[in-house]
Amino acid sequence: MKRTLSFLLVAFLAISSFAADRAHTLKIYNWADYIDENVLWSFPEWYRRQTGEEVEIIYQTFDINESMLTEIEVGKEDYDVICPSEYIIERMLRNNLLQPINKDLVPDSIRAFENVSPFAVGMFNRMSRTVNVSDYAVGYMWGTTGFLYNPAFVSDEEVSSWSALLNPKFRGKIFMKDAFRDVYSVMVLYAYRDDLEAGRVTAAELIGNVTQERIDTVEAVLMAAKDNFAGWEVDFGKEEMAKGNAWLNLSWSGDAQWAIVESEKVGLELRYIVPQEGSNVWFDGWCIPVYAKNTKAATYFINYMCLPQNAIANMEEIGYVSVVATPEVMEYMTDDEIPETYDITYFFGEGADSLHVNPVFYPDRSVIERCALMHDAAENTEALLSMWNRVKGDNLSMGMIVFLVVVVIALLGFFLYRFLQKRNAGKRHTRKTRHRR
């Protein structure tokens, strides 16, 4: 009995100690390589100065939205802050996996939530018709999807349309993004370009309303184009472009900018364009899951990420564009060495109608007006995925097929040779044994 009571006492103390520590621990789950480390690890000191409380960060990263979602939805992991993409935010809201962010926890003197561009806030609120999404999510980074291309082999005119994917001139020179939602979102705009031009449908309706008819139409276009694809990639396409190993890559704007900068180091020019049919505009945002244990520190952290100095540091480090739209950010992102000016009033407001900015980061208003937010496909997700698997399934060139056949024959020959070798050795061993006997 004494031993049992002692064990229970120790267990109780251990649990109590963990609970106490958890109250002063902030668990953050973010994309890999998606934050400035100085900003991240400076948060505990900033938090202590603001609240007088200590907090320790546990920081973990994920590579795809779905793995993060599974940990929370199935594993009920108690992360305090997560950074999902727009369609996952939409799905998590629908499945009651997010809790409201109590912004009133942060004093007015340091509150920075309002630094987020109204453009981003408006886009976030399009994710749901039933709740105010901005109560559950605060934007972090955003961008577009377009073509990263090598102008030494590809003209501006050739990539002005998504039809470039079908151009036989680029056979074997295109790396395709292995992201079925993003690819569907842009290809459905191309597939229904005549309806778009005639005003019979909008980009928002085409991208947001996934139907089997549209899935089938996009599949037909991709099937016609896929012989031009050198491969499917999620991350290495930008590197292949920067090395000059490909001419064309369906790319996210942040990756495109990285490749453009890297290619300049080796004397290679790359460019980025959003084709005339339009594209999807994507967002990642900070949320607090329903299983979070330290919502106060989580709320302060999200606010901390909206401070202009931290937004600038994060953009400088990771190469993507913050949703923060303060005068400090506008000044930092203005570059007088860029000769053209762009209308960025949709993002920064009045006074931003003729800014010298990088159009990869901030597309002109005329481009953004052709873009729309990508949504969760909900009950049509499986149909989309099935289409994608069919498109990718037999994407092997004849040369690749011959190569694989040769490899298989060589391996079979090698294993047969080793088998016969061992069998002959066994026979020799048996003969010797019998001889000795």
Side-chain angles (χ1 to χ4, degrees):
M1 178 63 72
K2 288 181 179 178
R3 289 178 180 174
T4 301
L5 289 174
S6 297
F7 172 78
L8 291 175
L9 179 61
V10 170
F12 174 77
L13 291 174
I15 293 171
S16 299
S17 175
F18 174 78
D21 288 341
R22 186 65 183 87
H24 293 88
T25 300
L26 179 66
K27 292 181 67 175
I28 302 170
Y29 207 21
N30 189 18
W31 296 89
D33 303 319
Y34 210 41
I35 195 171
D36 179 84
E37 290 194 2
N38 290 329
V39 170
L40 174 65
W41 300 115
S42 295
F43 174 73
E45 173 59 24
W46 182 87
Y47 184 72
R48 186 188 63 78
R49 291 199 310 269
Q50 308 307 324
T51 66
E53 299 174 14
E54 301 291 337
V55 69
E56 178 184 351
I57 290 177
I58 295 178
Y59 186 76
Q60 295 174 264
T61 62
F62 59 88
D63 293 321
I64 58 173
N65 278 293
E66 285 72 14
S67 64
M68 176 274 298
L69 177 62
T70 299
E71 290 193 44
I72 294 171
E73 191 169 33
V74 179
K76 299 185 178 180
E77 289 286 347
D78 62 339
Y79 296 110
D80 299 308
V81 183
I82 57 174
C83 188
S85 300
E86 70 292 299
Y87 73 95
I88 291 292
I89 294 174
E90 188 175 346
R91 188 182 306 177
M92 294 184 82
L93 280 171
R94 190 169 58 248
N95 294 335
N96 299 313
L97 292 172
L98 300 178
Q99 59 178 287
I101 301 170
N102 184 5
K103 299 174 183 178
D104 290 336
L105 285 174
V106 182
D108 290 343
S109 59
I110 59 169
R111 192 176 299 173
F113 298 112
E114 292 77 11
N115 290 338
V116 173
S117 171
F119 166 71
V121 174
M123 283 292 191
F124 268 59
N125 285 333
R126 294 181 187 179
M127 296 178 196
S128 174
R129 297 179 180 177
T130 59
V131 299
N132 184 6
V133 179
S134 294
D135 291 338
Y136 294 82
V138 175
Y140 180 44
M141 298 287 167
W142 75 286
T144 58
T145 302
F147 277 137
L148 174 66
Y149 64 104
N150 187 329
F153 306 101
V154 183
S155 70
D156 295 346
E157 179 63 26
E158 287 170 325
V159 286
S160 65
S161 167
W162 290 110
S163 64
L165 294 173
L166 295 152
N167 190 336
K169 172 184 173 180
F170 306 135
R171 186 181 182 92
K173 297 297 182 180
I174 302 173
F175 272 105
M176 192 61 167
K177 191 66 65 184
D178 190 0
F180 67 92
R181 291 180 181 86
D182 298 79
V183 175
Y184 171 84
S185 295
V186 298
M187 294 313 295
V188 75
L189 298 179
Y190 171 72
Y192 289 86
R193 59 195 179 279
D194 292 339
D195 291 331
L196 270 175
E197 188 173 350
R200 291 189 290 270
V201 68
T202 65
E205 203 278 329
L206 276 175
I207 293 178
N209 186 16
V210 179
T211 67
Q212 188 61 55
E213 177 191 342
R214 290 172 181 173
I215 292 173
D216 294 341
T217 303
V218 169
E219 180 176 358
V221 175
L222 290 172
M223 284 293 191
K226 71 177 201 169
D227 283 344
N228 289 343
F229 303 158
W232 307 86
E233 58 84 26
V234 174
D235 190 55
F236 69 81
K238 61 181 184 288
E239 297 175 357
E240 292 299 305
M241 291 292 295
K243 294 175 182 176
N245 295 334
W247 296 355
L248 198 59
N249 180 214
L250 191 146
S251 179
W252 296 306
S253 53
D255 284 353
Q257 181 60 28
W258 179 91
I260 289 169
V261 172
E262 290 300 307
S263 66
E264 288 174 352
K265 297 177 182 178
V266 294
L268 182 69
E269 181 186 3
L270 296 178
R271 296 176 186 170
Y272 176 78
I273 188 174
V274 174
Q276 61 191 8
E277 295 89 3
S279 181
N280 68 300
V281 56
W282 56 263
F283 291 87
D284 295 326
W286 299 109
C287 305
I288 302 178
V290 292
Y291 305 114
K293 302 295 185 184
N294 194 344
T295 56
K296 179 180 179 179
T299 304
Y300 269 77
F301 178 81
I302 295 172
N303 180 78
Y304 171 78
M305 297 300 284
C306 295
L307 295 171
Q309 64 269 28
N310 292 334
I312 290 170
N314 286 325
M315 287 192 291
E316 180 71 24
E317 176 64 23
I318 70 175
Y320 279 82
V321 183
S322 171
V323 298
V324 172
T326 64
E328 297 94 329
V329 172
M330 187 171 76
E331 181 181 358
Y332 173 77
M333 297 300 283
T334 300
D335 186 354
D336 290 334
E337 293 186 3
I338 297 174
E340 296 84 2
T341 60
Y342 300 91
D343 180 357
I344 318 297
T345 51
Y346 66 89
F347 192 86
F348 289 109
E350 292 183 9
D353 57 342
S354 299
L355 290 184
H356 296 272
V357 292
N358 185 339
V360 179
F361 289 149
Y362 299 107
D364 189 80
R365 174 180 286 277
S366 61
V367 174
I368 288 297
E369 287 174 348
R370 303 197 305 267
C371 298
L373 185 72
M374 185 171 66
H375 292 269
D376 180 35
E379 66 275 6
N380 288 310
T381 299
E382 286 302 318
L384 262 181
L385 186 57
S386 296
M387 176 274 287
W388 191 244
N389 288 333
R390 288 193 298 272
V391 170
K392 289 179 59 182
D394 59 345
N395 191 54
L396 292 175
S397 65
M398 183 57 66
M400 181 61 71
I401 293 173
V402 171
F403 172 76
L404 291 175
V405 169
V406 170
V407 169
V408 170
I409 292 174
L411 288 172
L412 288 174
F414 173 76
F415 286 121
L416 179 62
Y417 170 76
R418 290 298 301 273
F419 171 76
L420 293 174
Q421 228 182 9
K422 289 182 179 180
R423 190 178 68 173
N424 291 335
K427 288 181 179 179
R428 288 195 297 271
H429 175 73
T430 301
R431 286 197 295 270
K432 288 180 181 179
T433 303
R434 289 172 179 170
H435 177 74
R436 282 197 296 269
R437 287 179 179 175

